[in-house]
Amino acid sequence: PVDLRAAVDDFARDLRTSRSANTVGAYRLWATAFAKGAPTDEALGRDSLQRFAETLTRQELAPRSVRLAVSAARKFLGWLERHGVPVPPQTKVETARPSDPERWTPTDFQVRRLLEAASGVGQPFSTVISLLPYTGMRISEMLDLTFDDAEVRPDGVVIFSIRRAKNTRARRVPLMREGALLFRSYLLDGRPTLMGATQSPYLFPGQRQSYKRKSAEGQLRSLRDEIAMPFLTHHALRRWYVRTMRRRGASDSDIAKIIGHSNLATFLDY
């Protein structure tokens, strides 16, 4: 049997000769996801693409994203066939709309895709967006942070203190390990390159004091169009944070305090 997961690397390498780095990255991610469901050529069937699409739809992936994923997987199958791997003819793929776009939550795979795309845009937007899923914070809260609000411990732990919050008391937000690494890297390599960084007390300085929420949300909209996730919002990333913290063993009451919900019933709506 042919190991399809190993073949993804060769597929991506061939793509680099004719596609942009962003396209190669997206196709590689989707081909990897497809290969997880069909790890060898012996696992391929006529409905492999349809089953892949249905799996992504059950994860509340937007239709445009499902189509992009299926297109990448189909291109991967075509590449396999050209390299002598027997691939069954695929049935027509049909996709459905997410049941509730306002309740849409990105998958782990989609968050990784977002972080990859965000790494290619300028600072401080790149770090602001990348920290949202690892803190559960609102964009406005992130942009209001100053140096006095960040505690960076010698053991690598980072804690943000939110003093100006929406309808809630001040609170402390410990960053997930991945977020702490991102933030420490930003302090060393990202922030010092920003215009006016030495004069501004804000962690994410803009042309006038803090980076503006309107600018951040506009760039997030541009980014979600680029990666075909039309339902992506900072609220969707807060829902991903809640789900991930639960999966890692945190209690609902602790998560509610971190994301700023004093009413547990409101939190449970997440």
Side-chain angles (χ1 to χ4, degrees):
V2 178
D3 186 344
L4 301 192
R5 290 167 295 189
V8 170
D9 290 337
D10 293 332
F11 166 65
R13 192 178 303 112
D14 285 356
L15 275 181
R16 292 193 190 104
T17 62
S18 59
R19 299 300 182 102
S20 69
N22 281 342
T23 299
V24 172
Y27 274 39
R28 180 174 188 160
L29 284 172
W30 289 125
T32 300
F34 175 80
K36 286 182 179 179
T40 69
D41 62 315
E42 294 178 348
L44 292 173
R46 289 178 55 82
D47 61 346
S48 290
L49 284 179
Q50 179 63 44
R51 285 189 285 110
F52 181 50
E54 290 172 355
T55 297
L56 298 178
T57 301
R58 284 195 297 271
Q59 295 172 352
E60 297 294 326
L61 206 70
R64 183 179 174 185
S65 298
V66 174
R67 290 194 293 271
L68 175 62
V70 170
S71 176
R74 182 177 285 113
K75 190 169 188 66
F76 177 51
L77 291 178
W79 179 89
L80 289 170
E81 197 166 20
R82 289 193 301 275
H83 286 76
V85 178
V87 177
Q90 297 295 297
T91 57
K92 182 180 178 181
V93 177
E94 298 180 0
T95 59
R97 183 179 178 81
S99 56
D100 186 357
E102 292 186 2
R103 303 298 304 157
W104 179 79
T105 303
T107 64
D108 294 353
F109 177 81
Q110 289 173 303
V111 169
R112 289 196 298 272
R113 177 72 184 108
L114 169 65
L115 297 181
E116 181 183 80
S119 68
V121 302
Q123 295 287 9
F125 174 71
S126 174
T127 297
V128 169
I129 294 301
S130 297
L131 287 178
L132 290 176
Y134 296 131
T135 60
M137 292 170 60
R138 302 174 180 91
I139 283 184
S140 57
E141 295 171 341
M142 186 77 70
L143 297 179
D144 274 342
L145 292 172
T146 67
F147 274 103
D148 291 338
D149 299 324
E151 178 184 349
V152 181
R153 297 180 179 176
D155 60 0
V157 172
V158 177
I159 299 176
F160 288 159
S161 293
I162 300 178
R163 311 176 198 278
R164 299 163 292 279
K166 175 184 175 183
N167 300 327
T168 187
R169 292 176 293 180
R171 67 187 195 276
R172 286 165 61 81
V173 177
L175 278 65
M176 291 182 182
R177 181 181 59 82
E178 301 93 330
L181 291 171
L182 280 169
F183 181 67
R184 291 166 73 92
S185 175
Y186 167 74
L187 289 182
L188 290 173
D189 304 319
R191 194 181 187 282
T193 66
L194 299 176
M195 184 178 297
T198 56
Q199 290 79 36
S200 175
Y202 290 96
L203 290 176
F204 307 106
Q207 291 182 343
R208 295 181 180 178
Q209 295 299 314
S210 69
Y211 201 66
K212 299 303 181 184
R213 174 177 175 174
K214 186 175 181 180
S215 299
E217 290 182 337
Q219 292 200 48
L220 178 58
R221 285 193 296 271
S222 297
L223 190 60
R224 73 189 185 193
D225 289 342
E226 176 188 332
I227 60 179
M229 293 184 200
F231 305 124
L232 178 67
T233 64
H234 66 273
H235 285 295
L237 295 174
R238 276 165 66 82
R239 287 192 288 273
W240 181 87
Y241 173 85
V242 169
R243 186 190 67 190
T244 303
M245 289 291 285
R246 277 175 168 166
R247 195 169 57 204
R248 296 184 181 185
S251 68
D252 282 350
S253 59
D254 286 343
I255 302 172
K257 291 177 183 177
I258 291 173
I259 69 171
H261 279 286
S262 56
N263 187 326
L264 192 57
T266 302
F267 162 75
L268 292 175
D269 190 45
Y270 270 74

